Amino acid sequence: MNIFEATFFAAVLTATAPVVLAALGGLLSSVSGVFNMALEGQLLWGAFTAVVFSYLTGSAWLGVLGGVLATVLYSAILSVSAVTFRADPVVVAVGMNLLALGLTAFLMRQVFGVGGTYTSPDLRGLPTLADLGLDVPVLGSQSPLVPVTLALVVAVALWLKRTRAGLRLRGIGQHADAAESLGLRVGVYRHGVVLAAGALCGLAGAQLALGNVTLFSEGMSAGRGWVAVVAVMLGGSRPYRVLLACLLFGAAEAFGFRLQGAGLPQQAADAAPYVITLLALVVAGAAGRRRQTVEAR
Amino acid sequence: MSGGPTVDGHDANGQHANGQHADGRDANEHHTDGREVDGRGVDGPVPGRRGAGAVVALAGRIVLAPAVLAVAGALVLTTLVMLAVGVDPALAYPALVRGALYDGNLEYTIAAFVPTLGMALAFAIPLRAGEFNLGGDGQMALGGVVAAALALNVTLPAGLGVLLPLVAAALTGALVAGISAPLRTRLGVPAIVTTLLVSTPAVALASYLVRFPLAEQGTGNAQTPTLPDAAHLPALAGSEYVTLGLPLIALLTAAWLLADARGVLGYEIRATGSNREFARYGGVAVNRLAAVTLAGGGAFAGLVGALIVLGPPYRFVDGALTAPGYTFTAIAAVLLATGRPVAVPFTVALLTILSAGGPGMERDAGVPSQLTQIVQGLIIVIVAVFATVRHVRRRRNARTEAGA
Amino acid sequence: MAVSPAEPPAAELVGVSKRFGPVVANDGIDLAIAKGEIHAVVGENGAGKSTLMSILYGLHRPDAGHVARNGARIRLRSPADAISHGLGMVHQHFRLFPELTVAENVVIGAEPTRGGVLDLAAARREVERLGDLYGLRADPDARIDGLPVGIRQRVEILKALYRRAEVLILDEPTAVLTPGEATRLFDVLRTVTATGASVVLVTHKLTEVLAAGDRVTVLRRGRVTGRFDTATTTADELVMAMIGRSLGPATPRRATRPPADGPYALEVRDLRVRDRDGVPRLDGVSFGVRPGEIVGIAGVAGSGQRELLDTVTGLRGPGRGDSGEVLLSGAPVRRGRHPAVAYVPEDRRGRATSPGMSLAENLIMGDQRTPALRGRLGLSASAVRERARTLTERFSIRAASVSDPISSLSGGNAQKAVLARELSRGTPVIVVEEPTQGVDVGAQEQIHALIADARDQGQAVLLQSSELTELRALADRVLVMFEGRVVAEITGEEAGDERLGAAMTGATTGGASGTTTGGTSGAAS
């Protein structure tokens, strides 16, 4: 087994892309001072709604669009309760994650008439870059959303560092009262980023359900949203570090699949990404410095 | 914004039930007295009030209690979901109630009450200290596996044959949950994240053990063989599914309620949850306490795993522990109790009925049972909003009273 | 008055009243700030200074009265409104963004851009230009959290000047400065007023007022009780207006007889403590407190008091590179809270109480494991209540019910509750931090009496306070800290402002040098 081959890197990218998208949403929320733990539920909701819209319209791209819009709507639960009503975002997130699990399982039975997993030849998945005539190594087998994801990491990094709004968002997260007294509209920014996180999770869900595969199954987010939360803890407000943390997870998942191919039980593959993520937390924590960033939340 | 992972302890947590009315009028009774006023909105009237006005006020207080509002709001929203997808609520709700309470289903519901209450303690105990334990599934699954392995491999006399697996399972759960404590106290990673991250590998490990080393040979089913008779939890008289687990968990719950309200440790835990620095200042070993509450919660989760495995059908069936979703039903119930431990058994009962009725509703009215998860999720969100609104109002009142 | 009708005041508060619940914070206050002057606003804690400035800066809206700029009435709904009307404020607790740079902090909210992108180069130039203009130099690329307090204050002032503030309000600006830094600040303020802008200086330090101000307005209990030109007034006149009587010898409560010449109840030896970044915070501190003695700790904020008291009370465990020991009655103690040390912390809501818990529950913290509170099953509810009732009575704590949350008590009563809990324990050692901060004048007297009583009963008291008058009234000896060291030891009687002030700058005063750390430990043997 050679892990240094193109297909392995491709598998890492496949596994990483949805996590990175969700983590970017988490990062933006966290920079603004809202602890967004509802990524898991939003990711799942995004996957489901993307499949529904792809099924209804017969177009994968309309599926992506529908998934994004539906998840923005879903994230409004967090933005309204945590920003407007100042409810505890952690408790709200616990509720939203459970709600997404229930809603998707319930609605899939109502819409598709099946439980467990839904797939159909009529369901349109995203094309690969190769399908679009861009048969570049590693990326060729990926959906167009994968390069978009990488571009978004760069865009978020630049936006935070080089724009007015980015600077203001960072200020708001560090000292909301001070920002408010300078005339910055703290609520508007926070609503904005929580909804943007919804859009990113919708994109993540679409990539998961229409890019990585072309199906929906119950609970298919499988903890990726939580890994994204951890990635934000590890990377702080620095998008490239968050990307690195996500890549670590993606590598663990891809490696897990390989192990399974090599005869290890499926459970080992299931557990691998979480064990690696935990180890990363421990290592990063032990290396010090983490302390402040994590506690500051 | 601070608050952070440990959640501003007092919203979901801690707190003396002695506050303002939910409707915002100032409390005209300053001392309902006694220590913890019990779960208003769920059970009986507060003594010491007389007259029609008081009755109306009390009724108003019950109707406007956050818990009642949350359940009502969640049901309204759920009904909207039903209508949106063309389900007739007039069919679904009766089917739900029937599925939980009638047609001989009550026994199943009571049987489901036991693990849900146990998991509620697994979540509530650390929450009192401000820690979130979302890893109940893993703690429960590994507890169950250890109980099954012991029962299958160690021959013990009748009494001990039950006791030993129960204790071992509790210890296992405590250990699994306890892993999160040093991560929280030394590395500062919130328990809500680590408990959950540990949970998935723990469930995977349990699943692996049940499918391979402990698997029943020759059937191909992912389950252990039936446990020896000595390890069977005795069923209560006149019942097939309700075992000795019910009185056991009831007893432990009562002990916890007492310890929380009256115990020194209970006081220290509540103080830690409501202001960690205050407790540290008072000489409480807050880090050790975080570990103790997490392990204590984990012990209950492990115990629940054993109670399920040692009860009918007396074996560990892969997925049977986690599939019914006891962990999250319990979390919803605890949050619904809004920081009043005495209310927990009642909210657990309510939500157990809701989720136990799900399969009946699916069978009779053709409505997917996942509807009950929707209700639970909505309850949590709504309770979070109401709890803050009340908290903010109380703080505002306190500030005006305090003056300069 | 210098204000002529031809030139309306730069800023004016007219008939301003503001209540909070039953408390009247401002009662028909008139205040006019002329162009180009430094106008001091003085008064005791709770006199209404902060409320008044909050109204001028748009943080509170007055119940009656209004604000005017250059003679025209304006409406301030928020600080942003105030900023756009040319008002700027430097809060006592800075409102800076810790992880942003100086330049980013200065421009945020009004950033220069080029082609839609932040123009950080322009921001940097602007910081440097303003710095040169007013003598407020700061490295534009430095992150705030790595800067000393004095520089942070400069950034706050730069922030206001960048927004073209014509009226600059400073709330207790010297609380965090050494006397030397304070002098430099006043020079800067003079440069600011020279450009035609005005400065409002809120303070309770009269020497500063007389040295730096042009005119003074004195507040007491929400009303104006005096207006003076600093050129023609005296400190005594100001004191009369501030407290309604002249100060006299501020009820000294120093010990009537010298403490027993026995061993120390509390002793620290050569404490060395570093913070997380490895910066030394305590650099070889040694001293002792005898039974029946109050030892005061003075110093500019951040001179190591926090670390010293956290180490003495055991709340701070030894870190890497820390050394030295804490001894109680001659025996070294391990880290962690020690039952023989009672402690009244400065941070009342964050550390000394749990606002969400009841008064009774707050009153037992620290004693929850003592047998006196034991019942058959853990804590005895009746013993807890009984204790709460006894303490509220003995320490005259006003509360509707002991089962009400402690957050419903007033600041003074909550502070008395904390003192009641800690003093009633009768421990050999008591550590007290800022005992009268945010407490009304009546309660202040009571609190001072309680601390003096504790001393007279033979308890050893370590008292940290930023109020020099408080130290002078209570302490038998005052230790002055600077940069993590005890640089001077002064007896209570000779603790005049100049002696203390000089020591607080780090200029070790000649006379006291012999009595610093080494001298006291010598006396112990």
Side-chain angles (χ1 to χ4, degrees):
Chain A
M1 177 175 70
N2 178 12
I3 65 164
F4 296 106
E5 58 192 38
T7 53
F8 180 75
F9 287 118
V12 172
L13 277 181
T14 306
T16 307
V19 183
V20 173
L21 287 166
L24 281 179
L27 177 146
L28 286 172
S29 312
S30 131
V31 166
S32 83
V34 179
F35 199 33
N36 193 337
M37 286 207 171
L39 301 177
E40 175 76 6
Q42 297 179 68
L43 184 55
L44 182 63
W45 180 247
F48 175 71
T49 48
V51 165
V52 168
F53 281 103
S54 169
Y55 165 81
L56 290 178
T57 61
S59 152
W61 289 110
L62 288 177
V64 173
L65 184 68
V68 167
L69 292 179
T71 314
V72 168
L73 213 62
Y74 192 69
S75 66
I77 299 177
L78 181 64
S79 102
V80 169
S81 43
V83 181
T84 309
F85 290 111
R86 292 164 188 261
D88 186 332
V90 175
V91 178
V92 173
V94 169
M96 283 176 70
N97 292 334
L98 186 60
L99 180 62
L101 215 54
L103 269 179
T104 52
F106 175 80
L107 291 176
M108 97 181 270
R109 284 169 176 77
Q110 290 296 314
V111 176
F112 302 124
V114 294
T117 299
Y118 169 78
T119 184
S120 147
D122 298 338
L123 187 62
R124 296 271 173 278
L126 288 165
T128 64
L129 286 172
D131 294 340
L132 300 173
L134 290 164
D135 196 1
V136 284
V138 181
L139 276 176
S141 58
Q142 310 285 326
S143 92
L145 287 185
V146 172
V148 166
T149 302
L150 297 175
L152 277 172
V153 174
V154 179
V156 166
L158 286 176
W159 184 78
L160 280 175
K161 201 171 165 57
R162 302 307 307 262
T163 67
R164 240 180 214 211
L167 174 65
R168 292 176 177 189
L169 191 74
R170 285 186 285 148
I172 285 167
Q174 289 170 30
H175 197 328
D177 280 351
E180 185 96 56
S181 67
L182 290 174
L184 306 186
R185 285 180 295 177
V186 174
V188 172
Y189 275 86
R190 286 191 170 153
H191 279 296
V193 287
V194 171
L195 295 179
L200 286 163
C201 285
L203 216 51
Q207 165 64 18
L208 189 63
L210 298 176
N212 292 13
V213 289
T214 307
L215 57 83
F216 177 79
S217 70
E218 283 179 51
M220 76 183 296
S221 52
R224 287 180 179 81
W226 288 103
V227 174
V229 169
V230 175
V232 175
M233 286 182 176
L234 289 171
S237 55
R238 286 150 299 204
Y240 299 116
R241 291 205 189 186
V242 170
L243 173 66
L244 270 181
C246 294
L247 279 169
L248 181 71
F249 165 81
E253 187 177 296
F255 191 65
F257 275 127
R258 294 250 154 158
L259 287 180
Q260 206 181 329
L264 252 80
Q266 186 210 337
Q267 285 79 13
D270 287 350
Y274 299 92
V275 175
I276 298 287
T277 309
L278 269 170
L279 285 179
L281 267 178
V282 173
V283 171
R289 305 228 325 130
R290 252 324 46 92
R291 208 184 181 96
Q292 291 104 317
T293 25
V294 175
E295 267 176 359
R297 242 140 263 208
Chain B
M1 199 149 156
S2 65
T6 50
V7 173
D8 170 16
H10 8 147
D11 283 356
N13 191 10
Q15 212 80 228
H16 205 82
N18 199 353
Q20 266 70 42
H21 296 271
D23 60 9
R25 273 175 295 142
D26 254 318
N28 47 2
E29 32 104 38
H30 264 300
H31 5 232
T32 323
D33 218 344
R35 299 176 41 83
E36 304 281 325
V37 179
D38 42 9
R40 63 172 69 132
V42 181
D43 57 2
V46 180
R49 282 181 168 262
R50 302 242 147 70
V55 172
V56 171
L58 180 67
R61 212 173 61 175
I62 291 173
V63 170
L64 293 172
V68 176
L69 286 176
V71 173
L75 289 178
V76 168
L77 289 174
T78 310
T79 309
L80 291 180
V81 171
M82 286 192 205
L83 293 173
V85 296
V87 171
D88 184 358
L91 282 177
Y93 284 125
L96 183 81
V97 174
R98 261 202 318 280
L101 302 178
Y102 301 107
D103 308 337
N105 291 325
L106 184 58
E107 203 188 329
Y108 293 105
T109 307
I110 295 174
F113 174 74
V114 173
T116 314
L117 183 56
M119 295 313 289
L121 296 188
F123 179 67
I125 292 172
L127 185 64
R128 288 300 261 177
E131 306 291 341
F132 273 71
N133 176 15
L134 293 193
D137 276 349
Q139 297 147 21
M140 174 169 65
L142 279 184
V145 157
V146 166
L150 266 179
L152 287 171
N153 294 313
V154 184
T155 320
L156 288 163
L160 219 54
V162 173
L163 192 64
L164 189 70
L166 286 182
V167 171
L171 286 176
T172 308
L175 210 67
V176 176
I179 295 172
S180 295
L183 296 174
R184 162 76 177 87
T185 56
R186 280 171 197 269
L187 306 182
V189 188
I192 188 171
V193 171
T194 52
T195 50
L196 203 76
L197 283 180
V198 171
S199 184
T200 310
V203 171
L205 177 61
S207 165
Y208 170 78
L209 291 173
V210 171
R211 281 167 188 270
F212 300 100
L214 295 173
E216 186 176 29
Q217 300 303 311
T219 62
N221 290 338
Q223 60 186 31
T224 65
T226 309
L227 307 186
D229 284 350
H232 289 195
L233 262 178
L236 292 187
S239 170
E240 206 176 324
Y241 294 100
V242 182
T243 63
L244 213 55
L246 177 64
L248 178 66
I249 219 78
L251 205 69
L252 289 171
T253 305
W256 171 64
L257 288 175
L258 197 69
D260 180 80
R262 301 287 297 274
V264 172
L265 199 63
Y267 170 76
E268 295 187 341
I269 289 171
R270 281 185 289 127
T272 306
S274 105
N275 182 352
R276 197 179 166 83
E277 179 62 17
F278 172 64
R280 204 169 80 84
Y281 152 75
V284 177
V286 289
N287 285 346
R288 202 180 312 155
L289 215 58
V292 166
T293 56
L294 278 168
F300 272 94
L303 182 69
V304 166
L307 288 178
I308 298 173
V309 170
L310 302 186
Y314 307 108
R315 59 170 81 196
F316 191 122
V317 182
D318 191 22
L321 274 64
T322 49
Y326 298 127
T327 304
F328 277 88
T329 305
I331 289 173
V334 171
L335 294 175
L336 184 58
T338 54
R340 284 184 292 259
V342 188
V344 166
F346 299 94
T347 53
V348 166
L350 181 71
L351 294 193
T352 306
I353 291 171
L354 262 179
S355 56
M361 178 180 67
E362 184 155 352
R363 200 172 47 245
D364 294 358
V367 181
S369 62
Q370 283 76 11
L371 192 76
T372 61
Q373 263 180 344
I374 298 179
V375 181
Q376 290 169 9
L378 287 171
I379 284 178
I380 296 177
V381 172
I382 298 174
V383 143
V385 172
F386 280 134
T388 327
V389 170
R390 212 170 57 119
H391 185 65
V392 166
R393 191 155 43 205
R394 185 181 328 164
R395 241 193 333 228
R396 198 179 306 139
N397 287 343
R399 198 177 309 144
T400 8
E401 276 167 37
Chain C
M1 290 268 154
V3 187
S4 67
E7 190 158 31
E12 195 175 9
L13 288 144
V14 183
V16 165
S17 295
K18 178 77 184 175
R19 315 167 56 98
F20 295 101
V23 179
V24 181
N26 288 168
D27 188 3
I29 292 183
D30 292 315
L31 175 68
I33 292 118
K35 277 205 178 81
E37 74 165 344
I38 295 183
H39 193 123
V41 175
V42 299
E44 290 187 291
N45 282 334
K49 296 172 299 198
S50 301
T51 307
L52 193 66
M53 292 306 116
S54 298
I55 289 170
L56 182 55
Y57 193 57
L59 284 160
H60 289 319
R61 263 178 272 182
D63 299 333
H66 68 266
V67 181
R69 274 275 283 141
N70 298 324
R73 187 171 170 162
I74 55 172
R75 283 175 68 87
L76 301 174
R77 276 158 310 217
S78 67
D81 280 357
I83 292 170
S84 67
H85 279 107
L87 297 160
M89 181 152 179
V90 175
H91 297 266
Q92 188 180 355
H93 301 285
F94 299 149
R95 307 192 130 208
L96 297 170
F97 305 101
E99 290 168 32
L100 301 186
T101 66
V102 169
E104 286 171 331
N105 263 284
V106 169
V107 301
I108 186 169
E111 308 86 346
T113 54
R114 206 170 48 186
V117 175
L118 269 185
D119 192 350
L120 283 175
R124 239 173 256 135
R125 279 197 303 276
E126 193 64 5
V127 169
E128 278 161 2
R129 186 184 69 80
L130 289 168
D132 288 344
L133 195 60
Y134 295 103
L136 288 164
R137 293 231 178 72
D139 174 8
D141 294 319
R143 253 173 59 145
I144 294 297
D145 51 10
L147 293 176
V149 195
I151 309 279
R152 292 188 198 193
Q153 190 177 56
R154 283 185 205 173
V155 179
E156 280 281 21
I157 299 173
L158 284 171
K159 220 165 98 181
L161 294 172
Y162 172 77
R163 289 171 170 73
R164 301 181 198 291
E166 288 168 0
V167 177
L168 186 61
I169 309 161
L170 294 105
D171 189 7
E172 300 283 0
T174 56
V176 292
L177 302 181
T178 62
E181 286 175 315
T183 313
R184 219 168 318 142
L185 170 68
F186 295 135
D187 290 343
V188 168
L189 297 184
R190 276 291 159 216
T191 328
V192 171
T193 52
T195 65
S198 313
V199 169
V200 182
L201 184 65
V202 179
T203 182
H204 65 278
K205 296 184 186 165
L206 298 182
T207 44
E208 276 173 28
V209 172
L210 294 172
D214 296 317
R215 290 193 303 154
V216 194
T217 297
V218 184
L219 301 185
R220 177 156 56 98
R221 295 190 184 163
R223 296 182 185 203
V224 175
T225 51
R227 296 175 215 272
F228 305 94
D229 281 344
T230 52
T232 58
T233 190
T234 63
D236 272 349
E237 257 185 318
L238 292 178
V239 168
M240 276 293 280
M242 260 172 80
I243 65 174
R245 59 181 156 90
S246 77
L247 190 57
T251 47
R253 297 178 186 279
R254 286 193 291 276
T256 43
R257 57 197 152 93
D261 213 19
Y264 290 124
L266 166 71
E267 190 185 356
V268 303
R269 282 191 194 150
D270 198 30
L271 277 188
R272 288 168 197 278
V273 162
R274 285 166 187 278
D275 68 11
R276 243 178 223 160
D277 301 325
V279 178
R281 290 295 172 182
L282 288 182
D283 194 7
V285 171
S286 305
F287 65 87
V289 187
R290 291 196 179 83
E293 184 184 33
I294 299 180
V295 171
I297 301 278
V300 177
S303 299
Q305 299 98 317
R306 171 85 279 121
E307 290 78 8
L308 173 65
L309 297 186
D310 279 356
T311 307
V312 168
T313 55
L315 280 170
R316 181 196 169 97
R320 220 173 304 153
D322 294 358
S323 64
E325 41 182 11
V326 177
L327 301 95
L328 294 176
S329 307
V333 292
R334 300 167 62 85
R335 67 153 130 188
R337 289 285 284 130
H338 195 283
V341 180
Y343 174 31
V344 179
E346 171 184 3
D347 185 357
R348 205 177 307 139
R349 295 180 68 86
R351 182 180 272 182
T353 67
S354 178
M357 295 178 96
S358 73
L359 174 58
E361 286 177 313
N362 270 285
L363 283 173
I364 62 169
M365 178 47 85
D367 290 330
Q368 69 272 20
R369 291 182 180 276
T370 55
L373 295 172
R374 276 290 159 82
R376 263 173 308 143
L377 300 156
L379 289 166
S380 151
S382 60
V384 169
R385 228 179 356 247
E386 193 44 46
R387 177 195 174 87
R389 296 225 171 96
T390 316
L391 288 181
T392 46
E393 205 165 299
R394 211 175 102 203
F395 290 83
S396 49
I397 301 163
R398 277 205 309 247
S401 153
V402 295
S403 41
D404 278 0
I406 196 167
S407 55
S408 67
L409 269 59
S410 76
N413 279 304
Q415 181 71 349
K416 277 192 276 179
V418 175
L419 277 157
R421 180 183 65 210
E422 298 300 316
L423 297 183
S424 63
R425 227 171 263 155
T427 52
V429 177
I430 303 175
V431 176
V432 183
E433 247 171 69
E434 304 287 357
T436 54
Q437 208 164 67
V439 161
D440 56 280
V441 185
Q444 282 181 13
E445 293 271 316
Q446 292 178 343
I447 288 168
H448 283 173
L450 288 172
I451 295 172
D453 279 354
R455 182 257 324 273
D456 294 341
Q457 281 158 26
Q459 289 169 289
V461 182
L462 186 62
L463 168 70
Q464 185 269 319
S465 175
S466 54
E467 299 288 335
L468 297 186
T469 47
E470 184 161 84
L471 289 175
R472 225 169 15 225
L474 283 171
D476 304 305
R477 288 185 287 142
V478 178
L479 307 176
V480 184
M481 294 191 71
F482 181 74
E483 291 188 341
R485 281 172 295 123
V486 173
V487 292
E489 178 177 331
I490 299 169
T491 64
E493 287 136 84
E494 54 183 33
D497 274 352
E498 307 91 72
R499 291 285 306 276
L500 280 172
M504 283 161 68
T505 65
T508 314
T509 49
S513 63
T515 61
T516 49
T517 59
T520 47
S521 7
S525 47

